[in-house]
Amino acid sequence: MESFEKGTKRREGVINIIDLHGTWREMGRQYGALMASEMKHICERAITEKLVNENGLNIDNLKDRAAKFYANYPFRFKEILRGMSETSEMSLEQIQLVNAVELLAATAHDLPQCTGIAAWSDYVSDTLVYGRNYDYLPWFKELSHDIVIACYHPADGSLSTATMGYAGEIYVVNGMNEKGIYLELNNGMPSGGALWYDSRVPSVAALFQFLLDGASLDEIESFFQTTKANFAYIIGVSDGQTARCYEWPVFEVKRRESHSRQGLTVLSNHFTEFSWGLPRPEDKTNWLTRSRRQNLLTLAKHFKGTIDSKTMMKMMDTRIEDLGATTDMTVYQMVVVPERFQLWFKIPDTQEWTEIDMKAILKPREE
């Protein structure tokens, strides 16, 4: 166990787990000191070697894009990043590059894809279980040792919130708060188009705010209704009892209604809420978004009534060739039982399913 000021760090296999306490600046200082080596590795391996040296991208252009991403961050999240630069021996410019690494690595064809599935009610043997694949460029597997579960315990009274992703990313593509609300993001470009607004708060930062401020699914829903996305996304949100899916292009948001399958929702990369009136996207040019969704629907139907965390892990382990959803682009995976604050994390080719006790990390306050 390492510690710095009020923060601590430990590992479960290669997964880093950091526990941060205090003001936003203090939590940033703890993050920077505890995760410096992992952030430097991302800066050197991903930004310098991969994007600049191998892919020929211009470093000034990358710095400019990273600064634009940071520009509309809420003040409290900027404080985290400023705190990180105080203790990590990295400049704020480098910290901004690491924070934006997934965005900078993205091109029109190579965006994080991802698949999510939530099962409850008649589909499960006991209580709601959520499965999640995070899919990205295969070379991100070189950053497997830089994956972190970062838990923030803010002194301002916000809800304790844990984010899961790569070191130095101060936003939510996967997260859980002390009320047991789990949230995950998928790219919605095949249906919502490729418009990107630099003039809006990045949606991934807004989702971090949602978890810090939202104590129920209804509250989180009101945040979706209030907030415009800066890019097209599909978001899965669940508590211990039920899950909801939000299809969130830049001009509107709709909660997907599951008419035919009560107790099951599967998210890939296209909108399926029929009121959009959209055709289904072509599968091959859109990362097999329809195949991945259909395969998980079929697996869930097959296991209906018996799905629990073990079965869900088996479903998430099923490769697309074997009629599952996992591909060579799957860089990490999760299975979550929000009601019990249980999370299992897997890094394909690096670490098998590992249970993480989120209750011990989030330390939910007494009502």
Side-chain angles (χ1 to χ4, degrees), residues 228-285:
K228 274 187 173 168
N230 76 311
F231 185 74
Y233 294 111
I234 302 168
I235 315 291
V237 193
S238 77
D239 60 11
Q241 273 60 57
T242 180
R244 297 177 182 175
C245 172
Y246 295 93
E247 298 180 342
W248 200 22
V250 294
F251 55 87
E252 168 76 290
V253 65
K254 291 190 186 211
R255 182 167 125 197
R256 179 192 294 176
E257 300 300 338
S258 173
H259 299 286
S260 54
R261 289 177 287 266
Q262 292 301 321
L264 183 67
T265 186
V266 176
L267 309 62
S268 51
N269 303 113
H270 62 289
F271 299 166
T272 64
E273 169 52 41
F274 72 90
S275 65
W276 292 115
L278 286 169
R280 290 191 296 183
E282 211 269 312
D283 204 33
K284 291 233 178 349
T285 53

Side-chain angles (χ1 to χ4, degrees), residues 207-220:
L207 292 172
F208 192 2
Q209 293 183 297
F210 288 12
L211 285 175
L212 289 161
D213 296 332
S216 68
L217 290 188
D218 287 344
E219 286 178 27
I220 300 246

Side-chain angles (χ1 to χ4, degrees), residues 115 117 131-133 135 291-300 302-303 310-330 333 335 346 348 352-353:
T115 322
I117 170 170
R132 155 74 157 163
N133 277 350
D135 301 337
S291 297
R292 283 182 286 123
R293 177 175 148 80
Q294 191 53 56
N295 288 354
L296 286 180
L297 289 171
T298 305
L299 281 172
H302 176 73
F303 290 115
K310 278 215 163 36
T311 309
M312 187 62 86
M313 286 179 232
K314 198 154 68 177
M315 288 164 63
M316 302 321 282
D317 280 338
T318 309
R319 287 188 57 89
I320 196 149
E321 303 83 15
D322 304 319
L323 304 183
T326 301
T327 70
D328 290 338
M329 298 185 82
T330 303
Q333 301 171 283
V335 166
K346 177 177 173 175
E352 273 309 308
W353 291 105

Side-chain angles (χ1 to χ4, degrees), residues 20-31:
L20 312 171
H21 294 262
T23 66
W24 297 95
R25 186 71 159 242
E26 287 168 348
M27 291 192 288
R29 284 176 57 82
Q30 295 155 35
Y31 196 127

